[in-house]
Amino acid sequence: MNASETQRDTAERLEKSRRMLESIDQEHLLHFVEELETEQLEELLGQLETIDLPEAVRMVERANTDTFQPPAPDLISPADFVPRHPENEQAAREHGEQLLKAGKVAAFTVAGGQGTRLGWNGPKGSFPASPLTGKPLFRLFAEQILATGNRWGRPVPWYIMTSPINDEQTRAFFRDNNYFGLDRTSIFMFPQGVLPSFDEGGKFMLSSKHQIAVNPDGHGGSMRALRASGAIEDMKSRGIEQISYFQVDNPTVKALDPVFLGLHAIDESSSGQLSSKMVPKTSYNEKVGVFCQIDGRNRVIEYSDLPEDLARSQSEDGHLRYLAGSIAIHVLSVDFVDRITGEEGAAAMPLHRASKKVPHVSLSTGELVEPAEPNATKLEMFIFDAIPLADRSMVYETDRVEEFAPIKNAQGADSPATSFTLQIERAARWLEAAGVQVPREAGAPSAKIEISALSAMGPADLEHLDLPKAIEPGDELVI
Ligand code: UTP
């Protein structure tokens, strides 16, 4: 195109966007268009053409009417769960191993979050998360994926959801680290969708004169992103049937757990569509979502939505009745994701609203306003809202030390410090199970230990290694 053709093309695109914005009463997004440099105008038009704003308006309307309201307490009951060591554990393990051997399982990490609480300058997956060698989260998962592929003779494809905000940085991080030794072609990275924030009047906002204020559409957005990115088609073409879903901030997650995969596929409490892991809650008011049953279907109720008397209620043996805490580890079948994101299920995931401070450009002054108080609503989808869409959904108990050491905050609960403690405790338990004497002080290991998944993915793998008989207090041991 020559210069005048380009100009004409831009003018046409602008006109088209203007008509679209007028039809949804959001034409203020073009308020500063006359002031923009060519590149800035291009950027704004790019956003207007790629974000489906009419759909976003429908979502805002839907969010006003269709948010989840917990039903009356007498309609809620605790979800059943498969205990940590079920009778069919061995059969489940073998089935899961068969799935891995047949190359029917993919790993899927959602890494599109903004990680505001951790405050790390970079994608959260690049955060140094192991206690001694400081391996980044992505490397810890890559090692498990590599080790699993090697063990069963079939490389495991790895799907990673980023966001438009961290996609480039994440790709660069993988490139710089030589894809952590994985085959480049087995990694499929794609950005999730975004949704515009809106003010009290339902108007979208400008974060600068040429940018619409948007946020990633939540981990539940992974469902529609799997479809939109072509990942579902890619999975089908590779013969993948099951997706092992986990979040980027949990370094101890079993990325590909044969027992869980097997139970998901064969246990009678499962439809093979969507299964979840849970850990028993430590107290009635622990801030985790709880697996409940409503109308015969499992779903997670957020801690803030579960009536307090239910949360406190105990069974005859003194355990919390609402015990099963959600830890965002799931297996989903490709067919299930295909169904819930297709025509029939497109509007199936509810939207959650959250108040947020959104810096924005004032239309009257053109100045950037940094609000001290929340001034906008953001919409997000949550992965656990897919649970009631499954015909039957299995919940499987796991152990906190074995599998849940999240890094969410810079300090305090769920911080690097608490995660390191859990990771070292797990390593100590594995070594003790393999007959190594681990020094402990007031119950906690007094040595630092880190075990790479390339050496062992569980205590049984340690038996084949040449290990010391005992570790001394203060030792630092990397296996
Ligand atoms: P969190 O809910 O902890 O959010 O995400 P976050 O954005 O990472 O962190 P804060 O709240 O800003 O501090 C749990 C998991 O879901 C992913 C995150 O990357 C993390 O793995 N996630 C969250 C997405 O992939 N996309 C989102 O839009 C939100």
PDB file of all heavy atoms in Angstrom, residues 177-206:
ATOM      1  N   ASN A 177      16.013 -19.593  28.065  1.00  0.00           N
ATOM      2  CA  ASN A 177      16.350 -20.785  28.854  1.00  0.00           C
ATOM      3  C   ASN A 177      16.330 -22.052  28.006  1.00  0.00           C
ATOM      4  O   ASN A 177      16.227 -23.166  28.540  1.00  0.00           O
ATOM      5  CB  ASN A 177      15.386 -20.925  30.029  1.00  0.00           C
ATOM      6  CG  ASN A 177      15.723 -19.945  31.139  1.00  0.00           C
ATOM      7  OD1 ASN A 177      16.648 -20.168  31.906  1.00  0.00           O
ATOM      8  ND2 ASN A 177      15.020 -18.829  31.176  1.00  0.00           N
ATOM      9  N   ASN A 178      16.406 -21.823  26.683  1.00  0.00           N
ATOM     10  CA  ASN A 178      16.457 -22.954  25.772  1.00  0.00           C
ATOM     11  C   ASN A 178      15.332 -23.966  26.021  1.00  0.00           C
ATOM     12  O   ASN A 178      15.525 -25.158  25.956  1.00  0.00           O
ATOM     13  CB  ASN A 178      17.833 -23.622  25.889  1.00  0.00           C
ATOM     14  CG  ASN A 178      18.188 -24.338  24.625  1.00  0.00           C
ATOM     15  OD1 ASN A 178      17.507 -24.144  23.612  1.00  0.00           O
ATOM     16  ND2 ASN A 178      19.199 -25.177  24.675  1.00  0.00           N
ATOM     17  N   TYR A 179      14.172 -23.432  26.310  1.00  0.00           N
ATOM     18  CA  TYR A 179      12.949 -24.228  26.527  1.00  0.00           C
ATOM     19  C   TYR A 179      13.152 -25.309  27.600  1.00  0.00           C
ATOM     20  O   TYR A 179      12.497 -26.332  27.599  1.00  0.00           O
ATOM     21  CB  TYR A 179      12.433 -24.812  25.198  1.00  0.00           C
ATOM     22  CG  TYR A 179      12.148 -23.705  24.221  1.00  0.00           C
ATOM     23  CD1 TYR A 179      13.115 -23.306  23.294  1.00  0.00           C
ATOM     24  CD2 TYR A 179      10.960 -23.004  24.274  1.00  0.00           C
ATOM     25  CE1 TYR A 179      12.889 -22.228  22.445  1.00  0.00           C
ATOM     26  CE2 TYR A 179      10.719 -21.922  23.421  1.00  0.00           C
ATOM     27  CZ  TYR A 179      11.691 -21.544  22.522  1.00  0.00           C
ATOM     28  OH  TYR A 179      11.468 -20.471  21.700  1.00  0.00           O
ATOM     29  N   PHE A 180      14.085 -25.043  28.492  1.00  0.00           N
ATOM     30  CA  PHE A 180      14.331 -25.923  29.648  1.00  0.00           C
ATOM     31  C   PHE A 180      14.584 -27.371  29.209  1.00  0.00           C
ATOM     32  O   PHE A 180      14.244 -28.319  29.919  1.00  0.00           O
ATOM     33  CB  PHE A 180      13.162 -25.859  30.641  1.00  0.00           C
ATOM     34  CG  PHE A 180      12.825 -24.459  31.069  1.00  0.00           C
ATOM     35  CD1 PHE A 180      11.700 -23.820  30.593  1.00  0.00           C
ATOM     36  CD2 PHE A 180      13.677 -23.766  31.926  1.00  0.00           C
ATOM     37  CE1 PHE A 180      11.405 -22.519  30.965  1.00  0.00           C
ATOM     38  CE2 PHE A 180      13.400 -22.463  32.307  1.00  0.00           C
ATOM     39  CZ  PHE A 180      12.256 -21.837  31.823  1.00  0.00           C
ATOM     40  N   GLY A 181      15.147 -27.504  28.017  1.00  0.00           N
ATOM     41  CA  GLY A 181      15.510 -28.849  27.561  1.00  0.00           C
ATOM     42  C   GLY A 181      14.359 -29.594  26.900  1.00  0.00           C
ATOM     43  O   GLY A 181      14.516 -30.737  26.476  1.00  0.00           O
ATOM     44  N   LEU A 182      13.202 -28.942  26.813  1.00  0.00           N
ATOM     45  CA  LEU A 182      12.066 -29.609  26.147  1.00  0.00           C
ATOM     46  C   LEU A 182      12.136 -29.344  24.642  1.00  0.00           C
ATOM     47  O   LEU A 182      12.746 -28.365  24.197  1.00  0.00           O
ATOM     48  CB  LEU A 182      10.747 -29.056  26.688  1.00  0.00           C
ATOM     49  CG  LEU A 182      10.395 -29.476  28.111  1.00  0.00           C
ATOM     50  CD1 LEU A 182       9.348 -28.541  28.698  1.00  0.00           C
ATOM     51  CD2 LEU A 182       9.885 -30.919  28.134  1.00  0.00           C
ATOM     52  N   ASP A 183      11.482 -30.215  23.903  1.00  0.00           N
ATOM     53  CA  ASP A 183      11.409 -30.011  22.470  1.00  0.00           C
ATOM     54  C   ASP A 183      10.508 -28.797  22.202  1.00  0.00           C
ATOM     55  O   ASP A 183       9.358 -28.765  22.650  1.00  0.00           O
ATOM     56  CB  ASP A 183      10.810 -31.291  21.846  1.00  0.00           C
ATOM     57  CG  ASP A 183      10.662 -31.167  20.347  1.00  0.00           C
ATOM     58  OD1 ASP A 183      10.985 -30.088  19.802  1.00  0.00           O
ATOM     59  OD2 ASP A 183      10.220 -32.150  19.732  1.00  0.00           O
ATOM     60  N   ARG A 184      11.046 -27.815  21.492  1.00  0.00           N
ATOM     61  CA  ARG A 184      10.297 -26.582  21.220  1.00  0.00           C
ATOM     62  C   ARG A 184       8.900 -26.878  20.649  1.00  0.00           C
ATOM     63  O   ARG A 184       7.925 -26.202  20.953  1.00  0.00           O
ATOM     64  CB  ARG A 184      11.142 -25.743  20.231  1.00  0.00           C
ATOM     65  CG  ARG A 184      10.462 -24.575  19.559  1.00  0.00           C
ATOM     66  CD  ARG A 184      10.325 -23.425  20.524  1.00  0.00           C
ATOM     67  NE  ARG A 184       9.336 -22.437  20.103  1.00  0.00           N
ATOM     68  CZ  ARG A 184       8.054 -22.455  20.462  1.00  0.00           C
ATOM     69  NH1 ARG A 184       7.579 -23.431  21.213  1.00  0.00           N
ATOM     70  NH2 ARG A 184       7.242 -21.509  20.085  1.00  0.00           N
ATOM     71  N   THR A 185       8.825 -27.910  19.814  1.00  0.00           N
ATOM     72  CA  THR A 185       7.544 -28.177  19.138  1.00  0.00           C
ATOM     73  C   THR A 185       6.512 -28.809  20.068  1.00  0.00           C
ATOM     74  O   THR A 185       5.359 -28.970  19.702  1.00  0.00           O
ATOM     75  CB  THR A 185       7.727 -29.102  17.922  1.00  0.00           C
ATOM     76  OG1 THR A 185       8.257 -30.347  18.407  1.00  0.00           O
ATOM     77  CG2 THR A 185       8.648 -28.498  16.888  1.00  0.00           C
ATOM     78  N   SER A 186       6.940 -29.169  21.278  1.00  0.00           N
ATOM     79  CA  SER A 186       5.952 -29.739  22.203  1.00  0.00           C
ATOM     80  C   SER A 186       5.380 -28.665  23.128  1.00  0.00           C
ATOM     81  O   SER A 186       4.585 -28.948  24.014  1.00  0.00           O
ATOM     82  CB  SER A 186       6.577 -30.883  23.022  1.00  0.00           C
ATOM     83  OG  SER A 186       7.489 -30.340  23.950  1.00  0.00           O
ATOM     84  N   ILE A 187       5.806 -27.404  22.909  1.00  0.00           N
ATOM     85  CA  ILE A 187       5.298 -26.305  23.748  1.00  0.00           C
ATOM     86  C   ILE A 187       4.366 -25.423  22.918  1.00  0.00           C
ATOM     87  O   ILE A 187       4.738 -24.970  21.832  1.00  0.00           O
ATOM     88  CB  ILE A 187       6.452 -25.465  24.312  1.00  0.00           C
ATOM     89  CG1 ILE A 187       7.342 -26.345  25.196  1.00  0.00           C
ATOM     90  CG2 ILE A 187       5.931 -24.267  25.094  1.00  0.00           C
ATOM     91  CD1 ILE A 187       8.572 -25.654  25.722  1.00  0.00           C
ATOM     92  N   PHE A 188       3.171 -25.186  23.424  1.00  0.00           N
ATOM     93  CA  PHE A 188       2.166 -24.394  22.700  1.00  0.00           C
ATOM     94  C   PHE A 188       1.735 -23.272  23.643  1.00  0.00           C
ATOM     95  O   PHE A 188       1.083 -23.528  24.648  1.00  0.00           O
ATOM     96  CB  PHE A 188       0.994 -25.319  22.362  1.00  0.00           C
ATOM     97  CG  PHE A 188      -0.052 -24.715  21.456  1.00  0.00           C
ATOM     98  CD1 PHE A 188      -0.306 -25.278  20.215  1.00  0.00           C
ATOM     99  CD2 PHE A 188      -0.817 -23.618  21.857  1.00  0.00           C
ATOM    100  CE1 PHE A 188      -1.282 -24.752  19.373  1.00  0.00           C
ATOM    101  CE2 PHE A 188      -1.781 -23.081  21.033  1.00  0.00           C
ATOM    102  CZ  PHE A 188      -2.022 -23.654  19.791  1.00  0.00           C
ATOM    103  N   MET A 189       2.161 -22.059  23.312  1.00  0.00           N
ATOM    104  CA  MET A 189       1.873 -20.932  24.207  1.00  0.00           C
ATOM    105  C   MET A 189       0.840 -20.020  23.564  1.00  0.00           C
ATOM    106  O   MET A 189       0.911 -19.783  22.360  1.00  0.00           O
ATOM    107  CB  MET A 189       3.172 -20.155  24.384  1.00  0.00           C
ATOM    108  CG  MET A 189       3.414 -19.682  25.773  1.00  0.00           C
ATOM    109  SD  MET A 189       5.007 -18.876  25.859  1.00  0.00           S
ATOM    110  CE  MET A 189       6.028 -20.149  26.524  1.00  0.00           C
ATOM    111  N   PHE A 190      -0.080 -19.536  24.327  1.00  0.00           N
ATOM    112  CA  PHE A 190      -1.082 -18.637  23.743  1.00  0.00           C
ATOM    113  C   PHE A 190      -1.603 -17.658  24.794  1.00  0.00           C
ATOM    114  O   PHE A 190      -1.724 -18.008  25.963  1.00  0.00           O
ATOM    115  CB  PHE A 190      -2.264 -19.439  23.166  1.00  0.00           C
ATOM    116  CG  PHE A 190      -2.935 -20.320  24.183  1.00  0.00           C
ATOM    117  CD1 PHE A 190      -4.063 -19.883  24.877  1.00  0.00           C
ATOM    118  CD2 PHE A 190      -2.440 -21.583  24.454  1.00  0.00           C
ATOM    119  CE1 PHE A 190      -4.680 -20.696  25.820  1.00  0.00           C
ATOM    120  CE2 PHE A 190      -3.052 -22.400  25.403  1.00  0.00           C
ATOM    121  CZ  PHE A 190      -4.165 -21.968  26.090  1.00  0.00           C
ATOM    122  N   PRO A 191      -1.895 -16.418  24.362  1.00  0.00           N
ATOM    123  CA  PRO A 191      -2.416 -15.447  25.330  1.00  0.00           C
ATOM    124  C   PRO A 191      -3.911 -15.622  25.554  1.00  0.00           C
ATOM    125  O   PRO A 191      -4.646 -15.991  24.644  1.00  0.00           O
ATOM    126  CB  PRO A 191      -2.147 -14.098  24.656  1.00  0.00           C
ATOM    127  CG  PRO A 191      -2.071 -14.402  23.201  1.00  0.00           C
ATOM    128  CD  PRO A 191      -1.645 -15.824  23.044  1.00  0.00           C
ATOM    129  N   GLN A 192      -4.329 -15.353  26.770  1.00  0.00           N
ATOM    130  CA  GLN A 192      -5.753 -15.430  27.077  1.00  0.00           C
ATOM    131  C   GLN A 192      -6.452 -14.159  26.601  1.00  0.00           C
ATOM    132  O   GLN A 192      -5.810 -13.205  26.182  1.00  0.00           O
ATOM    133  CB  GLN A 192      -5.956 -15.620  28.571  1.00  0.00           C
ATOM    134  CG  GLN A 192      -5.570 -14.428  29.422  1.00  0.00           C
ATOM    135  CD  GLN A 192      -5.791 -14.713  30.910  1.00  0.00           C
ATOM    136  OE1 GLN A 192      -4.841 -14.873  31.660  1.00  0.00           O
ATOM    137  NE2 GLN A 192      -7.037 -14.759  31.334  1.00  0.00           N
ATOM    138  N   GLY A 193      -7.769 -14.156  26.721  1.00  0.00           N
ATOM    139  CA  GLY A 193      -8.533 -12.975  26.327  1.00  0.00           C
ATOM    140  C   GLY A 193      -8.490 -11.915  27.420  1.00  0.00           C
ATOM    141  O   GLY A 193      -8.061 -12.168  28.550  1.00  0.00           O
ATOM    142  N   VAL A 194      -8.917 -10.725  27.058  1.00  0.00           N
ATOM    143  CA  VAL A 194      -9.007  -9.643  28.045  1.00  0.00           C
ATOM    144  C   VAL A 194     -10.424  -9.107  28.054  1.00  0.00           C
ATOM    145  O   VAL A 194     -11.186  -9.309  27.110  1.00  0.00           O
ATOM    146  CB  VAL A 194      -8.035  -8.483  27.714  1.00  0.00           C
ATOM    147  CG1 VAL A 194      -6.591  -8.910  27.890  1.00  0.00           C
ATOM    148  CG2 VAL A 194      -8.272  -7.933  26.312  1.00  0.00           C
ATOM    149  N   LEU A 195     -10.775  -8.438  29.118  1.00  0.00           N
ATOM    150  CA  LEU A 195     -12.074  -7.774  29.202  1.00  0.00           C
ATOM    151  C   LEU A 195     -11.840  -6.336  29.665  1.00  0.00           C
ATOM    152  O   LEU A 195     -10.976  -6.092  30.517  1.00  0.00           O
ATOM    153  CB  LEU A 195     -12.974  -8.493  30.208  1.00  0.00           C
ATOM    154  CG  LEU A 195     -13.530  -9.844  29.752  1.00  0.00           C
ATOM    155  CD1 LEU A 195     -14.206 -10.557  30.904  1.00  0.00           C
ATOM    156  CD2 LEU A 195     -14.509  -9.655  28.596  1.00  0.00           C
ATOM    157  N   PRO A 196     -12.581  -5.408  29.101  1.00  0.00           N
ATOM    158  CA  PRO A 196     -12.403  -4.015  29.528  1.00  0.00           C
ATOM    159  C   PRO A 196     -13.012  -3.774  30.910  1.00  0.00           C
ATOM    160  O   PRO A 196     -14.067  -4.327  31.231  1.00  0.00           O
ATOM    161  CB  PRO A 196     -13.157  -3.215  28.457  1.00  0.00           C
ATOM    162  CG  PRO A 196     -14.091  -4.175  27.806  1.00  0.00           C
ATOM    163  CD  PRO A 196     -13.561  -5.565  28.020  1.00  0.00           C
ATOM    164  N   SER A 197     -12.346  -2.972  31.713  1.00  0.00           N
ATOM    165  CA  SER A 197     -12.928  -2.553  33.001  1.00  0.00           C
ATOM    166  C   SER A 197     -13.978  -1.497  32.709  1.00  0.00           C
ATOM    167  O   SER A 197     -13.888  -0.793  31.700  1.00  0.00           O
ATOM    168  CB  SER A 197     -11.863  -1.919  33.897  1.00  0.00           C
ATOM    169  OG  SER A 197     -10.740  -2.740  33.963  1.00  0.00           O
ATOM    170  N   PHE A 198     -14.956  -1.349  33.580  1.00  0.00           N
ATOM    171  CA  PHE A 198     -15.978  -0.322  33.337  1.00  0.00           C
ATOM    172  C   PHE A 198     -16.319   0.438  34.614  1.00  0.00           C
ATOM    173  O   PHE A 198     -16.159  -0.072  35.728  1.00  0.00           O
ATOM    174  CB  PHE A 198     -17.231  -0.938  32.708  1.00  0.00           C
ATOM    175  CG  PHE A 198     -17.814  -2.085  33.482  1.00  0.00           C
ATOM    176  CD1 PHE A 198     -18.860  -1.873  34.376  1.00  0.00           C
ATOM    177  CD2 PHE A 198     -17.342  -3.370  33.325  1.00  0.00           C
ATOM    178  CE1 PHE A 198     -19.401  -2.927  35.094  1.00  0.00           C
ATOM    179  CE2 PHE A 198     -17.878  -4.434  34.040  1.00  0.00           C
ATOM    180  CZ  PHE A 198     -18.906  -4.214  34.921  1.00  0.00           C
ATOM    181  N   ASP A 199     -16.791   1.689  34.409  1.00  0.00           N
ATOM    182  CA  ASP A 199     -17.102   2.538  35.564  1.00  0.00           C
ATOM    183  C   ASP A 199     -18.553   2.336  35.999  1.00  0.00           C
ATOM    184  O   ASP A 199     -19.265   1.508  35.420  1.00  0.00           O
ATOM    185  CB  ASP A 199     -16.783   4.007  35.254  1.00  0.00           C
ATOM    186  CG  ASP A 199     -17.713   4.584  34.186  1.00  0.00           C
ATOM    187  OD1 ASP A 199     -18.751   3.953  33.863  1.00  0.00           O
ATOM    188  OD2 ASP A 199     -17.398   5.663  33.669  1.00  0.00           O
ATOM    189  N   GLU A 200     -18.952   3.116  36.962  1.00  0.00           N
ATOM    190  CA  GLU A 200     -20.314   2.998  37.526  1.00  0.00           C
ATOM    191  C   GLU A 200     -21.415   3.012  36.478  1.00  0.00           C
ATOM    192  O   GLU A 200     -22.412   2.316  36.589  1.00  0.00           O
ATOM    193  CB  GLU A 200     -20.570   4.200  38.433  1.00  0.00           C
ATOM    194  CG  GLU A 200     -20.345   3.909  39.866  1.00  0.00           C
ATOM    195  CD  GLU A 200     -20.638   5.163  40.682  1.00  0.00           C
ATOM    196  OE1 GLU A 200     -21.077   6.190  40.121  1.00  0.00           O
ATOM    197  OE2 GLU A 200     -20.410   5.070  41.873  1.00  0.00           O
ATOM    198  N   GLY A 201     -21.215   3.825  35.450  1.00  0.00           N
ATOM    199  CA  GLY A 201     -22.237   3.974  34.406  1.00  0.00           C
ATOM    200  C   GLY A 201     -22.117   2.897  33.335  1.00  0.00           C
ATOM    201  O   GLY A 201     -22.768   2.988  32.298  1.00  0.00           O
ATOM    202  N   GLY A 202     -21.232   1.909  33.534  1.00  0.00           N
ATOM    203  CA  GLY A 202     -21.082   0.847  32.532  1.00  0.00           C
ATOM    204  C   GLY A 202     -20.198   1.265  31.360  1.00  0.00           C
ATOM    205  O   GLY A 202     -20.132   0.580  30.345  1.00  0.00           O
ATOM    206  N   LYS A 203     -19.489   2.396  31.517  1.00  0.00           N
ATOM    207  CA  LYS A 203     -18.629   2.862  30.423  1.00  0.00           C
ATOM    208  C   LYS A 203     -17.224   2.270  30.560  1.00  0.00           C
ATOM    209  O   LYS A 203     -16.655   2.247  31.660  1.00  0.00           O
ATOM    210  CB  LYS A 203     -18.499   4.397  30.449  1.00  0.00           C
ATOM    211  CG  LYS A 203     -19.812   5.125  30.249  1.00  0.00           C
ATOM    212  CD  LYS A 203     -20.201   5.139  28.794  1.00  0.00           C
ATOM    213  CE  LYS A 203     -21.381   6.063  28.557  1.00  0.00           C
ATOM    214  NZ  LYS A 203     -22.324   5.565  27.581  1.00  0.00           N
ATOM    215  N   PHE A 204     -16.667   1.833  29.415  1.00  0.00           N
ATOM    216  CA  PHE A 204     -15.287   1.365  29.415  1.00  0.00           C
ATOM    217  C   PHE A 204     -14.363   2.568  29.593  1.00  0.00           C
ATOM    218  O   PHE A 204     -14.776   3.714  29.385  1.00  0.00           O
ATOM    219  CB  PHE A 204     -14.978   0.631  28.103  1.00  0.00           C
ATOM    220  CG  PHE A 204     -15.874  -0.570  27.891  1.00  0.00           C
ATOM    221  CD1 PHE A 204     -16.342  -0.902  26.627  1.00  0.00           C
ATOM    222  CD2 PHE A 204     -16.263  -1.360  28.965  1.00  0.00           C
ATOM    223  CE1 PHE A 204     -17.176  -2.004  26.440  1.00  0.00           C
ATOM    224  CE2 PHE A 204     -17.095  -2.464  28.787  1.00  0.00           C
ATOM    225  CZ  PHE A 204     -17.560  -2.777  27.520  1.00  0.00           C
ATOM    226  N   MET A 205     -13.100   2.268  29.955  1.00  0.00           N
ATOM    227  CA  MET A 205     -12.205   3.376  30.317  1.00  0.00           C
ATOM    228  C   MET A 205     -10.933   3.355  29.477  1.00  0.00           C
ATOM    229  O   MET A 205     -10.548   2.315  28.957  1.00  0.00           O
ATOM    230  CB  MET A 205     -11.844   3.236  31.804  1.00  0.00           C
ATOM    231  CG  MET A 205     -13.088   3.178  32.671  1.00  0.00           C
ATOM    232  SD  MET A 205     -12.766   2.537  34.305  1.00  0.00           S
ATOM    233  CE  MET A 205     -12.533   4.056  35.159  1.00  0.00           C
ATOM    234  N   LEU A 206     -10.295   4.520  29.389  1.00  0.00           N
ATOM    235  CA  LEU A 206      -9.024   4.606  28.665  1.00  0.00           C
ATOM    236  C   LEU A 206      -7.879   4.642  29.677  1.00  0.00           C
ATOM    237  O   LEU A 206      -7.896   5.465  30.592  1.00  0.00           O
ATOM    238  CB  LEU A 206      -8.991   5.882  27.827  1.00  0.00           C
ATOM    239  CG  LEU A 206      -9.887   5.903  26.577  1.00  0.00           C
ATOM    240  CD1 LEU A 206      -9.993   7.316  26.014  1.00  0.00           C
ATOM    241  CD2 LEU A 206      -9.354   4.948  25.507  1.00  0.00           C
TER     242      LEU A 206
END
